[in-house]
Amino acid sequence: MTGPRAGLRRLLSEPLTHFVILGAILFACGQIYAARTNVFRIEITPAHVAQLSHKYALQFGGPPDPRTLDRLVRDDVHDEILFRQGMALKLDQDDEIVRRRIVQKEQFLLQNLSAPAEPTDAQLTAYYAAHRDLYAAPPRVTFSHIYFAVGPGGDAAAEARAKAVLAKLSTGTTRGPELGDAFPDLYDFSAFEPEQVERLFGHTQLSQAVYSAPVGRWSGPFRSAYGWHLIHVDARAAGGQAPLSEIADRVRSDYLQAASDRANAQAFDKIARRFTVVRQDVGTRP
């Protein structure tokens, strides 16, 4: 068979023709890819404009008018140009603020991959039993004190003054800050936990004595980080285990947070497996 069709078939059967066609296809794909990935090419799609409009409506309670929308687009293009120029100049490299912001955004994305399912009653009970120490109520104490500052006479003189006042205190007196020196904080404390007492007075004689001294009468003197004190313990409640029925909402919140933390850790591990960490001090670790 001769003629144009036969010539065309012979041309198409030539390896060189295949090479030219393949090259043309690759060139076209390269041009399309370059156009779409060109840092200097900014495409404003209808979807992006709709997103700008939606964000405006969320902030101001209604959609923007055409003039405002046009300004939003122009402002967005302005920021995008600066962003891309900065990326082209590699201004994002070695910038701790940029690095921290990207880390925060990635952590936010990981946290929103999947919300943990609501726990069943059995799961809550099991979680509560496995973490009983988290729900132990600490002891609490309500007390007053009289303060004696350490003056020129030193510790011994301040302690002696405190003992002298203690000897004169009547049984019915439950507070008497005026009998001592001015204290820079409170004189009366209600339902304080050990951590609160130590935060104020330090890990001292006083912070321990308020949980062991007799209730209903004055005792001391006890040393603190400030000086010497007489204390009157009005009431003291021993610590104990809070029943699940009273703290079910707190246990549920802790359970969901723990489940979310596990899911986030698993998501991070999946990402981390793609990386190789090289530490020159200890070698290479996968």
Side-chain angles (χ1 to χ4, degrees), residues 105-188:
K105 292 187 73 173
E106 181 61 25
Q107 288 175 334
F108 179 78
L109 291 174
L110 288 179
Q111 291 170 0
N112 287 273
L113 288 177
S114 59
E118 279 292 326
T120 63
D121 291 342
Q123 288 173 322
L124 276 188
T125 302
Y127 184 87
Y128 170 78
H131 301 85
R132 294 180 68 87
D133 57 316
L134 297 178
Y135 308 107
R140 298 175 183 270
V141 63
T142 298
F143 69 98
S144 299
H145 75 112
I146 303 173
Y147 170 62
F148 300 88
V150 177
D155 258 18
E159 184 180 9
R161 286 196 298 129
K163 289 180 178 179
V165 171
L166 178 63
K168 297 178 182 178
L169 282 169
S170 62
T171 305
T173 302
T174 58
R175 69 185 309 273
E178 72 283 352
L179 300 176
D181 299 321
F183 186 68
D185 208 285
L186 301 174
Y187 290 98
D188 307 295

Side-chain angles (χ1 to χ4, degrees), residues 39-40 81-93:
V39 69
F40 300 109
I81 289 173
L82 292 180
F83 171 74
R84 295 195 184 190
Q85 178 65 13
M87 294 293 288
L89 296 175
K90 299 183 179 180
L91 299 183
D92 59 312
Q93 296 184 7

Side-chain angles (χ1 to χ4, degrees), residues 7 31 38 69 103 108 120 154 215 227 237 239 244 249 268:
Q31 290 294 101
N38 186 354
L69 182 59
V103 169
F108 179 78
T120 63
V215 176
L244 177 58
D249 288 343
F268 175 80

Side-chain angles (χ1 to χ4, degrees), residues 8-24:
L8 179 60
R9 277 197 292 270
R10 285 197 302 272
L11 181 62
L12 292 177
S13 65
E14 291 290 334
L16 179 61
T17 303
H18 297 165
F19 180 80
V20 171
I21 295 174
L22 180 60

Side-chain angles (χ1 to χ4, degrees), residues 90-102:
K90 299 183 179 180
L91 299 183
D92 59 312
Q93 296 184 7
D94 300 322
D95 189 313
E96 183 59 30
I97 296 178
V98 173
R99 180 178 183 272
R100 191 180 305 124
R101 180 59 178 155
I102 292 175

Side-chain angles (χ1 to χ4, degrees), residues 19-286:
F19 180 80
V20 171
I21 295 174
L22 180 60
I25 294 174
L26 291 176
F27 177 78
C29 291
Q31 290 294 101
I32 296 173
Y33 176 80
R36 291 186 176 181
T37 58
N38 186 354
V39 69
F40 300 109
R41 175 187 173 87
I42 298 176
E43 292 187 7
I44 305 299
T45 64
H48 186 64
V49 175
Q51 184 181 29
L52 294 174
S53 179
H54 180 64
K55 289 171 63 176
Y56 180 92
L58 289 177
Q59 183 175 359
F60 296 101
D65 57 44
R67 183 176 179 181
T68 302
L69 182 59
D70 182 62
R71 177 177 57 81
L72 291 175
V73 172
R74 284 188 280 108
D75 290 345
D76 185 72
V77 170
H78 173 271
D79 292 347
E80 186 68 17
I81 289 173
L82 292 180
F83 171 74
R84 295 195 184 190
Q85 178 65 13
M87 294 293 288
L89 296 175
K90 299 183 179 180
L91 299 183
D92 59 312
Q93 296 184 7
D94 300 322
D95 189 313
E96 183 59 30
I97 296 178
V98 173
R99 180 178 183 272
R100 191 180 305 124
R101 180 59 178 155
I102 292 175
V103 169
Q104 290 173 345
K105 292 187 73 173
E106 181 61 25
Q107 288 175 334
F108 179 78
L109 291 174
L110 288 179
Q111 291 170 0
N112 287 273
L113 288 177
S114 59
E118 279 292 326
T120 63
D121 291 342
Q123 288 173 322
L124 276 188
T125 302
Y127 184 87
Y128 170 78
H131 301 85
R132 294 180 68 87
D133 57 316
L134 297 178
Y135 308 107
R140 298 175 183 270
V141 63
T142 298
F143 69 98
S144 299
H145 75 112
I146 303 173
Y147 170 62
F148 300 88
V150 177
D155 258 18
E159 184 180 9
R161 286 196 298 129
K163 289 180 178 179
V165 171
L166 178 63
K168 297 178 182 178
L169 282 169
S170 62
T171 305
T173 302
T174 58
R175 69 185 309 273
E178 72 283 352
L179 300 176
D181 299 321
F183 186 68
D185 208 285
L186 301 174
Y187 290 98
D188 307 295
F189 303 91
S190 178
F192 260 49
E193 300 176 6
E195 182 181 350
Q196 294 173 293
V197 177
E198 289 194 8
R199 189 181 303 132
L200 178 58
F201 295 104
H203 186 64
T204 57
Q205 272 187 338
L206 175 63
S207 62
Q208 298 177 45
V210 293
Y211 293 98
S212 59
V215 176
R217 65 182 178 87
W218 288 96
S219 58
F222 302 107
R223 191 68 162 85
S224 80
Y226 298 96
W228 292 90
H229 306 255
L230 301 177
I231 61 173
H232 186 282
V233 178
D234 301 306
R236 190 161 50 231
Q241 194 71 31
L244 177 58
S245 58
E246 294 182 5
I247 56 171
D249 288 343
R250 178 184 166 191
V251 177
R252 170 188 170 276
S253 177
D254 291 347
Y255 173 93
L256 291 174
Q257 184 61 54
S260 178
D261 290 344
R262 287 195 302 272
N264 293 342
Q266 292 171 356
F268 175 80
D269 289 343
K270 184 176 180 180
I271 294 174
R273 284 195 291 270
R274 301 168 56 190
F275 293 82
T276 297
V277 178
V278 178
R279 289 185 52 183
Q280 296 182 355
D281 56 333
V282 294
T284 301
R285 294 181 179 179

